[in-house]
Amino acid sequence: DQQVKQNSPSLSVQEGRISILNCDYTNSMFDYFLWYKKYPAEGPTFLISISSIKDKNEDGRFTVFLNKSAKHLSLHIVPSQPGDSAVYFCAASAWNYGQNFVFGPGTRLSVLP
Amino acid sequence: DSGVTQTPKHLITATGQRVTLRCSPRSGDLSVYWYQQSLDQGLQFLIQYYNGEERAKGNILERFSAQQFPDLHSELNLSSLELGDSALYFCASSPRAGGEDTQYFGPGTRLTVL
């Protein structure tokens, strides 16, 4: 049973437009969420995080929104650039409850020039 | 470059064999995590070590074991290998025991079991 779901395996966006990647989770104990980006032949790299006490966190072109009641978070990339083309993983943890990070299956983003 | 190194990059072996994957964390990081990524799957957390002690266990098979040495490098041992063990194995490190620590990932070891 997947606790963290990314229901879109892939997404294509035009350069300069907004990319929105979605993530849903089932465990209400999750209290910390992260997004990782992964290029081929490399390990995942940390992108942005959000704690459950917030509903938004912004870092440059990247913004993560958290809707706790819907158990949903999203990553917005504005404007999208070709270099953003990668696989994006959503991860969640409930550390205080002994739950280590659980990763979603990933969404492959393609930003078209 | 995350500062986390993993060796070897690629490993090809046969069913029934045993292999050891090695990970060196970033300088100063005390935690090491191991993950498995099978084809088209997300990252599955296997196990975490913090300062030499097992800290958390995930979906790690009994045929798999790990340890963290006094110099903080870690090894993941996979034995009685099966075809289904073919995957990318990632190691990550973080400064502390976890919680809100960012994990820094190595480039991975691709294991192919024939």
Side-chain angles (χ1 to χ4, degrees), chain B residues 72-112:
Chain B
L72 301 177
H73 91 271
S74 177
E75 291 181 356
L76 178 67
N77 300 297
L78 315 175
S79 61
S80 302
L81 284 167
E82 302 175 0
L83 295 177
D85 298 327
S86 295
L88 265 171
Y89 290 84
F90 288 103
C91 163
S93 73
S94 71
R96 293 169 294 272
E100 298 189 359
D101 262 11
T102 296
Q103 296 180 22
Y104 296 87
F105 282 78
T109 293
R110 182 173 293 281
L111 173 67
T112 302

Side-chain angles (χ1 to χ4, degrees), chain A residues 32 36 38 43-44 46 95 100-101, chain B residues 45 48 55 97 99 103 105-106:
Chain A
Y32 192 64
Y36 281 85
K38 184 182 180 304
F46 169 75
W95 199 257
N100 212 320
F101 282 109
Chain B
F45 168 68
Q48 178 201 0
R55 178 73 168 81
Q103 296 180 22
F105 282 78

Side-chain angles (χ1 to χ4, degrees), chain B:
Chain B
D1 184 356
S2 66
V4 178
T5 60
Q6 289 185 249
T7 56
K9 279 192 168 52
H10 302 277
L11 199 47
I12 302 175
T13 188
T15 54
Q17 295 298 304
R18 172 189 168 95
V19 297
T20 297
L21 312 184
R22 184 188 166 101
C23 169
S24 292
R26 291 188 326 154
S27 176
D29 283 359
L30 298 179
S31 273
V32 169
Y33 309 78
W34 286 98
Y35 291 88
Q36 179 193 56
Q37 185 183 22
S38 301
L39 191 64
D40 293 333
Q41 299 288 314
L43 292 156
Q44 298 291 321
F45 168 68
L46 296 178
I47 197 164
Q48 178 201 0
Y49 278 81
Y50 172 70
N51 205 18
E53 300 288 328
E54 183 183 304
R55 178 73 168 81
K57 221 168 187 176
N59 300 322
I60 188 166
L61 299 171
E62 284 192 16
R63 301 184 283 109
F64 296 1
S65 64
Q67 54 184 326
Q68 186 179 29
F69 295 87
D71 68 352
L72 301 177
H73 91 271
S74 177
E75 291 181 356
L76 178 67
N77 300 297
L78 315 175
S79 61
S80 302
L81 284 167
E82 302 175 0
L83 295 177
D85 298 327
S86 295
L88 265 171
Y89 290 84
F90 288 103
C91 163
S93 73
S94 71
R96 293 169 294 272
E100 298 189 359
D101 262 11
T102 296
Q103 296 180 22
Y104 296 87
F105 282 78
T109 293
R110 182 173 293 281
L111 173 67
T112 302
V113 182
L114 301 174

